[in-house]
Amino acid sequence: MIPAVLVTSVQAQTQAAAEPKPQGSAPALGEITVNIFPGGFNWPSYVAQDKGFFAQHGIQVDLQSTTGSVAQMTDLSKGRFDIAMTAIDNIVAYVEGEGEAPIGPQPDFVAVMGSDSSFLSLVAAPEIKSYEDLRGKTLSVDARTTGYAFVLYDMLARKGLTQNDYTIETAGGMVQRWNALQAHKQVATLFSAPFNILARNKGFNQIATATDVIGPYQGNVAATRRSWAKQNKPKLVAFIQAYVEAIDWLYDPKNHDEAIRILLKNVPQMSPELAATTYGELLDPNSGFFHKGRVSVPGIRTVLALRTRYAMPHKVLKDPMKYYDPTYYRAAVH
């Protein structure tokens, strides 16, 4: 059974998206559909809705939850929504024709704004206290060919463990991996907040934070299709502007209590205590949401280096700008 505290309420998101706009801010540009993975890392979008930032920029944003990257990338390729909040590794993989969905290369996919490093941490069972304790054990990933799996492989390799020293099983998304970890089906996995926080609260060990081991990492981005972006530049620029304003608002300490309220409204299964700890992680000045929604080009280089090292068939990937177009961000953030 999936713990309720870990599942974002799609109903709450839908209600939030449908809330009336502040007076005097009727949409001038129309609607944008944004596809998301459920979780607290959608906080800037929740804030932009709640505080009317989207409406003030003339757009109405409809947040739609996805069941996974295969469904998300398939639907993006078919134009079933406008923007995907997703790992840039997904964009790289599908541009290169290495994605899991059978949709072929997608050169139209492109990242247009940054969000965060994905907040990845290696979390292990209570009896696992070090990397060496993982030798001979079974760890879980969402899928063997995703970027987060490559992050895990590289973290272990940097600490002296080869892929022959442990076993990998696919266990699904973070909710599914958390359930499997509690059921002792595997002993470790990578989690993002708030899963790592919940695990720590239950006696599991956080062995390391990914960026502390592998360096800068570009995780989640706003991505779209180049063709849609070109045809809808005002909408896309407005979305970026509102999202950046929401990040600025979140980082302002005077908004702490209201930020927690907005998070709990959109993720009502989260406890106030968990929300408060999540605030500390997602809004850490050094490791939280990327300020101003910037893309970390060094972080993209890390993603490309990991795909070069671990993805099959082998390709040498070097150019971050093949997957990121800064045109719209520069137009939004002067």
Side-chain angles (χ1 to χ4, degrees):
M1 179 178 178
I2 297 174
V5 71
L6 297 176
V7 184
T8 300
S9 169
V10 176
Q11 182 179 10
Q13 293 171 4
T14 303
Q15 289 173 347
E19 285 181 356
K21 314 295 181 297
Q23 284 190 341
S25 58
L29 298 173
E31 185 179 51
I32 295 178
T33 50
V34 180
N35 193 266
I36 61 174
F37 287 86
F41 37 80
N42 297 298
W43 213 344
S45 293
Y46 300 151
V47 165
Q49 284 185 328
D50 191 275
K51 301 300 295 180
F53 297 151
F54 286 140
Q56 289 164 20
H57 286 279
I59 55 174
Q60 178 182 347
V61 172
D62 176 23
L63 296 180
Q64 304 174 347
S65 291
T66 186
T67 56
S69 61
V70 169
Q72 186 185 57
M73 294 296 101
T74 300
D75 288 348
L76 179 61
S77 72
K78 295 181 178 180
R80 290 176 177 162
F81 54 81
D82 304 319
I83 294 172
M85 297 303 297
T86 192
I88 196 170
D89 180 83
N90 286 328
I91 301 307
V92 176
Y94 282 90
V95 167
E96 296 297 335
E98 296 175 346
E100 291 197 28
I103 57 176
Q106 296 291 321
D108 206 28
F109 286 6
V110 67
V112 294
M113 180 188 71
S115 178
D116 53 71
S117 67
S118 292
F119 310 106
L120 297 171
S121 296
L122 176 58
V123 176
E127 68 272 16
I128 304 295
K129 303 184 186 302
S130 69
Y131 284 94
E132 192 59 31
D133 290 342
L134 294 171
R135 196 176 295 274
K137 302 296 195 301
T138 300
L139 295 76
S140 68
V141 297
D142 180 6
R144 296 174 190 272
T145 60
T146 64
Y148 295 168
F150 301 157
V151 169
L152 177 60
Y153 302 157
D154 208 57
M155 291 177 71
L156 298 175
R158 288 169 182 257
K159 299 301 179 179
L161 297 177
T162 72
Q163 292 187 50
N164 294 324
D165 292 326
Y166 54 86
T167 301
I168 290 290
E169 290 183 353
T170 57
M174 290 192 192
V175 171
Q176 290 80 11
R177 298 204 305 279
W178 171 230
N179 288 341
L181 200 61
Q182 292 181 96
H184 310 291
K185 293 180 179 178
Q186 299 94 27
V187 302
T189 192
L190 286 182
F191 281 145
S192 298
F195 294 86
N196 62 318
I197 300 168
L198 191 67
R200 292 199 309 260
N201 290 345
K202 289 184 173 289
F204 290 77
N205 292 318
Q206 184 166 313
I207 304 298
T209 299
T211 52
D212 287 343
V213 180
I214 68 171
Y217 186 78
Q218 179 63 62
N220 293 309
V221 296
T224 186
R225 291 171 292 122
R226 293 178 187 272
S227 54
W228 183 88
K230 186 176 181 179
Q231 295 165 9
N232 295 275
K233 182 176 180 179
K235 278 188 180 182
L236 182 52
V237 168
F239 175 81
I240 294 171
Q241 289 172 329
Y243 195 95
V244 168
E245 287 179 17
I247 291 178
D248 288 347
W249 185 92
L250 279 167
Y251 271 114
D252 189 334
K254 75 174 185 291
N255 298 324
H256 173 276
D257 292 349
E258 191 174 4
I260 295 292
R261 176 192 66 77
I262 291 171
L263 181 62
L264 290 173
K265 183 174 92 170
N266 286 277
V267 193
Q269 300 87 349
M270 184 180 284
S271 70
E273 295 76 17
L274 186 58
T277 308
T278 299
Y279 181 98
E281 294 213 6
L282 300 192
L283 293 167
D284 181 282
N286 298 315
S287 60
F289 289 112
F290 291 168
H291 292 271
K292 298 291 183 183
R294 297 186 183 97
V295 164
S296 168
V297 174
I300 300 178
R301 293 189 191 280
T302 299
V303 171
L304 300 183
L306 292 177
R307 290 206 70 85
T308 297
R309 191 170 304 136
Y310 296 107
M312 296 301 291
H314 180 260
K315 287 185 178 182
V316 177
L317 308 179
K318 292 184 176 180
D319 182 12
M321 309 316 288
K322 184 177 180 180
Y323 318 98
Y324 168 49
D325 183 349
T327 302
Y328 306 96
Y329 182 85
R330 289 172 180 165
V333 182
H334 307 293

